[in-house]
């Protein structure tokens, strides 16, 4: 049940984020739905391809696909003034999606008996893959490559799960890690934490 809740939260958050970006870029209804669907599902598909495991296609996502479609429809058909006001919350939605999908990716790798490197790779690719797909389709520079600390938090989630500090069998520990990654991502955004060492050198 805990993973189902996290998956629904992640899909809804990333679908909302993708649809908001599409509307900001003035995409039509088709483009909005494509971008909104790609954002929550591209990371998992890319992960499976990279790790050589069977791919769960978008149309096989079951109720999660309907969650994404419903979220995108709400964004697209609501008054645009409301939607643009919601845009200020996009960073928080993106943080929710990043955290939930990073945890899901790490749990997936653990379930497949991958070593620590595979757990880290799966957590990062699942967590940031959707956002990268969203930004590329919107012809933006991927957030993970130039903005505040982003992929590091997905890697941190994979690390603490991979070395056994956090047990994915524990609902309490899972949600503590989920909330911690969200808080760290939001803090890195508001406080402007970066990995650009040349900026530190100049100081």
């Amino acid at each position: 049940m805990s993973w189902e809740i996290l998956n629904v939260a992640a899909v809804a958050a990333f679908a909302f984020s993708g649809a908001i970006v599409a509307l900001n870029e003035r995409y039509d209804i088709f483009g909005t739905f494509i971008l909104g669907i790609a954002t929550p599902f591209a990371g998992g598909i890319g992960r499976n391809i990279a790790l050589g495991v069977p791919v769960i296609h978008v149309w096989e996502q079951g109720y999660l696909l309907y969650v994404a479609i419903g979220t995108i429809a709400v964004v697209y058909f609501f008054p645009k003034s409301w939607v643009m006001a919601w845009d200020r919350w996009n960073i928080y939605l993106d943080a929710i999606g990043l955290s939930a999908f990073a945890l899901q990716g790490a749990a997936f790798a653990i379930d497949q008996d991958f070593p620590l490197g595979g757990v880290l790779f799966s957590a990062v690719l699942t967590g940031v893959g959707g956002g990268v797909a969203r930004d590329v389709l919107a012809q933006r520079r991927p957030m993970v490559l130039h903005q505040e600390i982003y992929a590091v938090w997905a890697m941190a989630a994979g690390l603490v799960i991979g070395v056994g500090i956090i047990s994915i069998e524990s609902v309490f520990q899972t949600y503590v890690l989920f909330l911690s990654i969200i808080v760290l991502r939001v803090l890195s955004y508001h406080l402007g934490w970066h990995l650009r060492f040349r900026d530190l050198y100049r100081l």
Side-chain angles (χ1 to χ4, degrees):
M1 180 61 70
S2 63
W3 287 112
E4 290 180 2
I5 294 173
L6 287 179
N7 282 334
V8 169
V11 167
F14 265 13
F16 192 100
S17 175
I20 287 288
V21 169
L23 290 179
N24 281 333
E25 298 296 329
R26 301 184 181 278
Y27 281 31
D28 61 14
I29 185 172
F30 179 77
T32 301
F33 272 86
I34 290 297
L35 199 61
I37 289 174
T39 306
F41 298 122
I45 292 173
R47 173 203 64 208
N48 285 22
I49 293 173
L51 295 178
V53 298
V55 173
I56 300 177
H57 299 289
V58 170
W59 53 88
E60 298 175 336
Q61 295 289 343
Y63 69 93
L64 294 176
L65 177 59
Y66 300 117
V67 170
I69 291 174
T71 302
I72 299 164
V74 167
V75 174
Y76 189 84
F77 291 108
F78 264 54
K80 296 300 181 287
S81 59
W82 293 13
V83 174
M84 292 303 107
W86 294 342
D87 187 34
R88 72 187 66 178
W89 301 99
N90 207 5
I91 175 61
Y92 303 102
L93 296 171
D94 191 82
I96 292 171
L98 170 71
S99 180
F101 276 129
L103 267 65
Q104 195 267 351
F108 175 85
I110 292 290
D111 186 61
Q112 297 290 324
D113 293 323
F114 283 108
L116 178 59
V119 176
L120 294 175
F121 181 82
S122 180
V124 172
L125 191 55
T126 311
V128 309
V132 171
R134 173 197 62 207
D135 294 339
V136 169
L137 289 173
Q139 299 182 351
R140 297 180 171 187
R141 284 190 301 164
M143 182 187 303
V144 65
L145 298 180
H146 72 94
Q147 288 197 7
E148 304 78 21
I149 298 175
Y150 189 80
V152 170
W153 303 130
M155 185 180 297
L159 180 63
V160 297
I161 291 175
V163 300
I165 297 175
I166 293 293
S167 172
I168 57 175
E169 301 298 327
S170 168
V171 174
F172 175 75
Q173 292 184 29
T174 298
Y175 276 104
V176 167
L177 180 58
F178 170 63
L179 294 174
S180 298
I181 297 300
I182 292 174
V183 170
L184 288 170
R185 168 57 191 145
V186 171
L187 283 176
S188 68
Y189 171 79
H190 286 294
L191 299 179
W193 295 345
H194 290 277
L195 293 176
R196 294 197 296 262
F197 293 107
R198 64 179 183 179
D199 292 345
L200 296 177
Y201 177 76
R202 289 173 181 172
L203 293 176

